[in-house]
Amino acid sequence: MANTESRPTLADVAARAGVSKSLVSLVMRGEPGAGPETRRRVLEAAGQLGYHPDSRARLLRSGRSRLLGVVFGIQHPFHVDLVTALYTAARESGYELALSAVTPDRDEAEATAGLLQDRCEALIMCGPRTAAAELTRLTARLPVIVLARNVRAADVIRTADDEGLREAVDHLASLGHQRIAHIDGGRAPGAADRRRGYREAMAARGLTRHISFTEGGLTEEDGAAAARRLLDGTVRPTAITVFNDRSATGVLDVLTRARLRVPGDVSVVGFDDSNLARLAHINLTTIAQDTGTMTRLAVARAIDRIDGNEVGHRAVVVPPRLVVRATTAPPAG
């Protein structure tokens, strides 16, 4: 008895249609050589059997996979947004994605190694922590495109992080805030540029004496701990810029538990415009990174490298934009 669970083959289609395997192969590849009636019988047989050509196997036989490997952090909402946009950009370019996640139990090296085994033609890394020397070694094996991190060892598509913090500070200052604090991202990609942008914007507004950095991080817990330190200080800020949206949600939680109104008592601005910021009960004012533009540029650069085309500057910087929602307002009183 035939195994009804097995995947139908070219031979099965040929037997059902009463033609040779080579003729079925011609029809499936859309090549000439089969008459209209034969083509109809083959396609009808394939439909009845549920046969679909294995395009991946055909590509591998030709030495191509048309696969772009993507390394991303599963715990970062913004990385999830990047992956979503990468699917669209890859599909529009005739490529597919192979995903490999960084998790608490799976580091970036392991995630990258998995994609190298999958015969990906290029690697796109979202905010990687991999050392520059290792990135250099990777680029010797295949094209590597880095998203959302400024590094010289590979092609880079990133946001103008410093400009984003300048927009955040300018927005708060225009509302009348002076005591504007910044919760930092530590050594995370983009954190140094965001610190610089905050400092420059405060100085440009004549608010140097109010510059205040508080150690933070990437998570809700990091934001909450930083917010508690700010509230324990001698002078409470009337506004806070936060390294990312995820950390900002921790800040909002601490402020709410302290019975402080947002934005009545304290205004908060995040960074990324991730799906988290758009949730109705959060409705966070934030700095948006243009994920659509960034991912289209990343895929285009990967394909240019694969095809051996000349490219311009290795680093492309995409401007951010301020998205005003419900967590910012003029200071009380």
Side-chain angles (χ1 to χ4, degrees):
M1 177 184 282
N3 181 5
T4 58
E5 297 299 319
S6 64
R7 182 175 178 175
T9 65
L10 274 178
D12 296 329
V13 176
R16 174 69 65 94
V19 298
S20 67
K21 283 175 57 179
S22 60
L23 202 54
V24 172
S25 180
L26 284 176
V27 172
M28 291 302 164
R29 295 199 305 271
E31 296 180 4
E37 176 58 24
T38 299
R39 189 174 299 275
R40 183 196 64 77
R41 289 207 325 271
V42 168
L43 293 176
E44 184 178 272
Q48 291 169 350
L49 292 170
Y51 173 81
H52 299 285
D54 190 344
S55 57
R56 178 65 48 74
R58 187 168 67 249
L59 283 168
L60 289 174
R61 284 194 297 272
S62 72
R64 295 291 304 274
S65 69
R66 298 191 77 82
L67 266 182
L68 303 177
V70 180
V71 177
F72 70 105
I74 200 168
Q75 294 178 298
H76 302 312
F78 180 61
H79 287 192
V80 175
D81 289 349
L82 285 173
V83 169
T84 301
L86 280 168
Y87 267 113
T88 300
R91 182 172 61 246
E92 290 173 350
S93 301
Y95 278 73
E96 294 183 24
L97 301 184
L99 304 184
S100 192
V102 178
T103 74
D105 298 320
R106 188 174 191 256
D107 65 16
E108 211 162 80
E110 185 177 351
T112 302
L115 292 174
L116 296 176
Q117 294 175 353
D118 287 341
R119 296 188 63 178
C120 294
E121 295 190 52
L123 202 60
I124 298 175
M125 304 183 75
C126 299
R129 297 293 192 93
T130 300
E134 179 57 29
L135 287 174
T136 300
R137 284 192 286 272
L138 279 173
T139 60
R141 298 185 60 178
L142 79 172
V144 177
I145 315 300
V146 170
L147 274 169
R149 177 186 169 189
N150 191 8
V151 63
R152 292 178 180 157
D155 288 296
V156 169
I157 312 294
R158 67 177 181 89
T159 296
D161 292 288
D162 55 342
E163 182 181 330
L165 253 294
R166 284 195 289 269
E167 289 188 23
V169 170
D170 286 345
H171 167 62
L172 293 167
S174 69
L175 292 172
H177 292 278
Q178 294 187 352
R179 299 196 307 275
I180 304 168
H182 179 61
I183 292 178
D184 187 28
R187 301 182 66 181
D193 286 338
R194 294 178 197 182
R195 283 193 295 272
R196 177 165 51 82
Y198 163 78
R199 188 187 298 277
E200 290 175 352
M202 292 291 283
R205 287 281 184 165
L207 301 174
T208 302
R209 69 186 184 280
H210 295 298
I211 289 176
S212 170
F213 290 101
T214 299
E215 180 183 353
L218 293 93
T219 69
E220 296 91 336
E221 292 78 9
D222 293 328
R228 284 191 287 268
R229 287 193 294 273
L230 279 174
L231 295 184
D232 289 341
T234 55
V235 180
R236 191 183 73 203
T238 64
I240 305 171
T241 62
V242 190
F243 172 72
N244 67 11
D245 294 340
R246 186 178 174 193
S247 184
T249 61
V251 173
L252 294 174
D253 181 64
V254 167
L255 294 176
T256 299
R257 292 174 186 274
R259 299 186 182 277
L260 292 171
R261 296 169 300 148
V262 177
D265 296 313
V266 184
S267 288
V268 178
V269 180
F271 203 111
D272 289 340
D273 193 29
S274 62
N275 284 324
L276 194 61
R278 302 170 212 154
L279 294 174
H281 68 286
I282 294 177
N283 207 19
L284 179 68
T285 295
T286 188
I287 301 298
Q289 301 199 59
D290 189 345
T291 56
T293 297
M294 292 171 69
T295 53
R296 283 193 297 273
L297 289 170
V299 169
R301 177 59 59 88
I303 294 171
D304 279 340
R305 289 295 189 188
I306 291 167
D307 294 340
N309 297 331
E310 290 293 325
V311 300
H313 296 293
R314 292 196 73 176
V316 180
V317 182
V318 179
R321 62 184 175 86
L322 173 71
V323 179
V324 179
R325 294 196 179 96
T327 59
T328 52

